[in-house]
Amino acid sequence: MKNVARLLVTLVILLSCQQPTAERTIVASTSIIGDWVSNIAGTDWKVVTLVGRDGDAHTYEPSPADVQTLAQASLIVLNGAGLEHVWLHPILESSKTQAPILELAEHTQLIKSEHHHEEEIEGQDPYEEGEEHEEGEEHHHGEFDPHVWLSPRRVRDMVTAIMNQLISLDPANEQAYRQRTAAYHQKLEELDREITSKLAVIPKERRKLVLLHQAFGYFALDYDFEQTASVLRSLTTQTRDPSAADVARLVDLLKKEKIPAIFDENIAKNPVSAAIARDAKVKLAPPLYTDALGQPGTPGETYLGMMRHNANVILEALRP
Ligand SMILES: [Zn+2]
């Protein structure tokens, strides 16, 4: 009897310990979104990230623990625009979560993968687009580019959306959420000015970005660069390696366009980039932080840090 009583007491303690976290957990799909959420939510909430630092959100393989994490969430924040859909949709279903889901891409301007200068479309859901694809048409043509976070100018509205969601869940702390958001908006504006002025020394003919995948569309549009090509020729890393013919075409293009450098990425190292750089006799620049933060203690520890680092790497690689 004594043992049963002790067991019951232990059980009650365990349950009461677990409940507060279970009630106050925000799940973010990526480390970058997790960083924004932590900045706005403050320390009252526990923030859990699914795809970790240096992780690839295109090819992520969720674990059974992720289903559990989603089941206990009070709020789920994801990027949307096709970034996580493939792996996230099934685990959202099986978690049977009742938590609100905030899709940040719905709160900013999205561009399509190609022709992005002509087609600015606000907050449309790519899954409801229902656009007809003709047989043999380039697979990624006309898809929305999910990489909105890589232009700090577009992050402002996404951070505001996080604030509004938190206020609706926890109106008692509205003031605190508003203050933290205002402070973060200011940091984003400083970052934006810093990137613009730092990169101003790069002349127009050298403002050309070539990465492993096409992650820098929004950055290019907002900071007056051209995303000339990408090694994988794709908006996602979940694609086959380029064929020998693709590589040869890219090498020719790099020479013809006088591309100064190609950039590695923190989320996916592919030896093809180095081989292409060698063949085209262009610099292989250090990795840019693309779809994830870097490890603690690196420049990419925070979103603001990773974007400053990216600007420095671009400056060093492309300055005359
Ligand atoms: Zn990506």
Side-chain angles (χ1 to χ4, degrees):
M1 204 52 207
K2 219 173 173 183
N3 278 346
V4 172
R6 198 180 291 152
L7 193 69
L8 276 175
V9 169
T10 315
L11 204 64
V12 166
I13 291 172
L14 273 176
L15 283 173
S16 61
C17 283
Q18 267 171 1
Q19 224 151 13
T21 40
E23 278 172 4
R24 304 274 288 178
T25 300
I26 304 171
V27 179
S29 62
T30 72
S31 52
I32 291 167
I33 294 171
D35 183 28
W36 298 337
V37 170
S38 301
N39 270 285
I40 307 310
T43 49
D44 289 349
W45 295 82
K46 185 181 170 197
V47 179
V48 180
T49 290
L50 295 177
V51 185
R53 293 169 182 273
D54 292 320
D56 186 343
H58 297 290
T59 58
Y60 184 67
E61 286 175 18
S63 69
D66 290 336
V67 180
Q68 199 56 31
T69 303
L70 288 169
Q72 291 172 346
S74 308
L75 168 64
I76 298 163
V77 188
L78 50 110
N79 185 77
L83 179 73
E84 321 92 331
H85 187 77
V86 175
W87 55 265
L88 187 58
H89 188 69
I91 57 171
L92 275 175
E93 292 264 291
S94 43
S95 76
K96 299 190 170 56
T97 177
Q98 298 297 309
I101 297 174
L102 174 62
E103 206 166 317
L104 295 177
E106 286 177 1
H107 298 268
T108 190
Q109 281 206 323
L110 292 180
I111 54 178
K112 286 195 172 182
S113 60
E114 288 139 326
H115 321 298
H116 45 70
H117 292 280
E118 298 96 285
E119 296 181 84
E120 286 238 8
I121 290 149
E122 196 157 356
Q124 275 193 18
D125 187 341
Y127 306 111
E128 288 173 5
E129 257 276 67
E131 200 171 274
E132 296 294 325
H133 284 261
E134 277 174 35
E135 205 73 51
E137 193 182 359
E138 175 76 58
H139 178 64
H140 293 291
H141 175 83
E143 281 185 11
F144 284 92
D145 182 346
H147 301 91
V148 217
W149 61 88
L150 284 163
S151 172
R153 256 175 236 176
R154 296 179 194 240
V155 174
R156 184 188 173 88
D157 291 346
M158 297 196 280
V159 166
T160 304
I162 294 169
M163 176 193 81
N164 288 334
Q165 184 72 61
L166 285 168
I167 291 172
S168 77
L169 290 175
D170 180 24
N173 289 308
E174 172 168 353
Q175 251 343 81
Y177 297 129
R178 289 198 182 279
Q179 278 166 8
R180 289 189 208 108
T181 304
Y184 201 74
H185 278 168
Q186 204 170 338
K187 288 178 185 170
L188 287 170
E189 280 157 28
E190 284 163 19
L191 175 68
D192 175 34
R193 280 196 297 271
E194 208 180 302
I195 293 173
T196 307
S197 65
K198 184 169 279 181
L199 299 181
V201 299
I202 304 173
K204 179 152 183 51
E205 69 276 11
R206 294 175 70 88
R207 297 177 86 89
K208 292 171 179 171
L209 296 167
V210 179
L211 283 78
L212 183 67
H213 78 303
Q214 283 159 230
F216 264 55
Y218 293 92
F219 182 95
L221 196 59
D222 291 347
Y223 295 94
D224 202 17
F225 280 74
E226 185 191 303
Q227 192 170 229
T228 314
S230 71
V231 171
L232 298 177
R233 306 188 310 150
S234 168
L235 277 171
T236 166
T237 55
Q238 190 157 46
T239 186
R240 61 174 179 81
D241 271 2
S243 67
D246 294 337
V247 168
R249 263 196 298 274
L250 185 55
V251 168
D252 283 347
L253 181 74
L254 296 179
K255 288 178 179 164
K256 190 173 127 251
E257 294 274 329
K258 298 192 172 59
I259 305 287
I262 64 178
F263 296 88
D264 256 338
E265 297 182 33
N266 72 315
I267 59 151
K269 307 268 184 313
N270 192 315
V272 178
S273 296
I276 289 171
R278 206 166 46 236
D279 287 357
K281 297 191 173 55
V282 304
K283 221 182 317 178
L284 180 68
L288 293 172
Y289 292 104
T290 51
D291 300 0
L293 298 178
Q295 299 299 321
T298 67
E301 181 171 358
T302 64
Y303 172 73
L304 300 169
M306 88 170 219
M307 291 309 298
R308 284 206 165 83
H309 177 83
N310 284 349
N312 289 335
V313 169
I314 291 170
L315 175 68
E316 285 314 310
L318 302 186
R319 77 191 314 170

